[in-house]
Amino acid sequence: MSGKPRLTYLNGRGRMEPVRWLLAAAGVEFEEIFLETREQYEKLIKDGVLMFQQVPLVEIDGMKMVQTRAILSYIAGKYNLYGKDLKERALIDMYVEGIADLMQMILVFPFSPPEAKDKNLDSIKERATNRYFPVFEKVLKQHGQDFLVGNKFSWADVQLLEAILAVEEKVPAVLSGFPQLQAFKIKISNMPTIKKFLQPGSPKKPPPDDCYVEKVFKVFKK
């Protein structure tokens, strides 16, 4: 095995996508193993590789890490994307948890029954525009800085851009009432490591489609 982190998950976004984003933002190359069959997944469990019998799995620094939040906080700390002190970390944690709540709605959206999709899409739009994005618009406006915490690029900035782009895929004009977030999106998207990740051919995964949903059920559902 090379010194690169190794990521084991499906060939799709899911709970691994924020890990890909954060590693890419830190300028860290990584390898990926894609689960294609139920048997591959069961072998990981049988071999004792998955602590809680769940992926994502990230092998890094001699550890086999599971649980998305633990993986992300380790990467953020390792690559100096987690604030300079406990207070900044607390802010980053609060912002990241809020963003994760919004992203959870996006994560489960592809699995909505057809008759519920319009309603669930309306819920995503409502939550984004009335609960989550106003928080970050206010933060950026009040401190007048380019980044969310400590005027330094952090994990929270990465997660927010991921969320903005994910919501825009479904609600293209979602930022129309948020000028600070529009400027934030442009600035963070043009940071060299992020810009590279947003280019075609990068490890960034496309929006989940019916084939991805089918693969999730094939691998994870008995």
Side-chain angles (χ1 to χ4, degrees):
M1 179 181 173
S2 73
K4 297 178 183 177
R6 186 163 65 180
L7 284 51
T8 301
Y9 199 71
L10 300 180
N11 187 10
R13 289 185 183 176
R15 297 190 184 281
M16 186 65 90
E17 193 69 356
V19 177
R20 298 183 185 108
W21 267 88
L22 194 56
L23 285 169
V28 179
E29 294 185 355
F30 52 88
E31 300 173 348
E32 296 199 72
I33 296 173
F34 299 126
L35 298 177
E36 299 288 343
T37 66
R38 176 77 188 179
E39 290 71 27
Q40 285 176 290
Y41 176 53
E42 289 178 340
K43 185 176 188 305
L44 289 174
I45 295 173
K46 184 179 178 181
D47 292 347
V49 175
L50 304 178
M51 184 179 290
F52 299 108
Q53 302 184 18
Q54 295 172 307
V55 289
L57 168 67
V58 174
E59 296 172 76
I60 183 171
D61 295 341
M63 297 185 293
K64 290 179 169 61
M65 295 196 70
V66 296
Q67 297 298 327
T68 309
R69 174 59 198 256
I71 293 165
L72 289 167
S73 60
Y74 181 82
I75 293 168
K78 178 179 174 69
Y79 295 106
N80 199 26
L81 296 170
Y82 208 176
K84 70 177 186 298
D85 56 31
L86 280 174
K87 287 186 176 181
E88 287 195 355
R89 286 193 171 205
L91 273 176
I92 290 168
D93 285 342
M94 286 194 291
Y95 295 156
V96 163
E97 288 294 306
I99 296 163
D101 290 344
L102 175 60
M103 289 299 288
Q104 177 65 19
M105 299 176 70
I106 294 169
L107 191 68
V108 301
F109 179 79
F111 302 92
S112 306
E115 65 273 14
K117 283 198 181 293
D118 286 346
K119 180 182 177 182
N120 291 346
L121 184 59
D122 286 342
S123 293
I124 290 171
K125 179 180 179 181
E126 192 277 330
R127 292 285 182 88
T129 55
N130 295 324
R131 180 181 296 188
Y132 295 105
F133 287 172
V135 170
F136 301 108
E137 180 76 7
K138 183 178 179 181
V139 168
L140 292 167
K141 185 174 183 178
Q142 283 185 339
H143 67 34
Q145 297 170 345
D146 294 326
F147 306 108
L148 288 172
V149 179
N151 203 26
K152 183 181 177 184
F153 184 52
S154 77
W155 173 20
D157 299 306
V158 181
Q159 296 274 107
L160 179 55
L161 179 63
E162 181 190 1
I164 287 171
L165 297 181
V167 176
E168 280 188 329
E169 287 172 350
K170 294 174 171 50
V171 189
V174 72
L175 290 188
S176 59
F178 301 102
Q180 301 292 332
L181 288 180
Q182 292 175 34
F184 173 89
K185 172 191 163 186
I186 292 169
K187 179 175 181 60
I188 304 301
S189 294
N190 280 291
M191 294 185 68
T193 56
I194 298 289
K195 189 172 184 178
K196 181 180 179 182
F197 187 63
L198 294 174
Q199 298 303 309
S202 84
K204 182 178 182 294
K205 305 307 178 200
D209 55 14
D210 290 342
C211 291
Y212 174 75
V213 171
E214 190 176 305
K215 181 61 65 70
V216 169
F217 283 110
K218 176 183 176 182
V219 174
F220 297 129
K221 303 294 184 181
K222 290 186 178 180

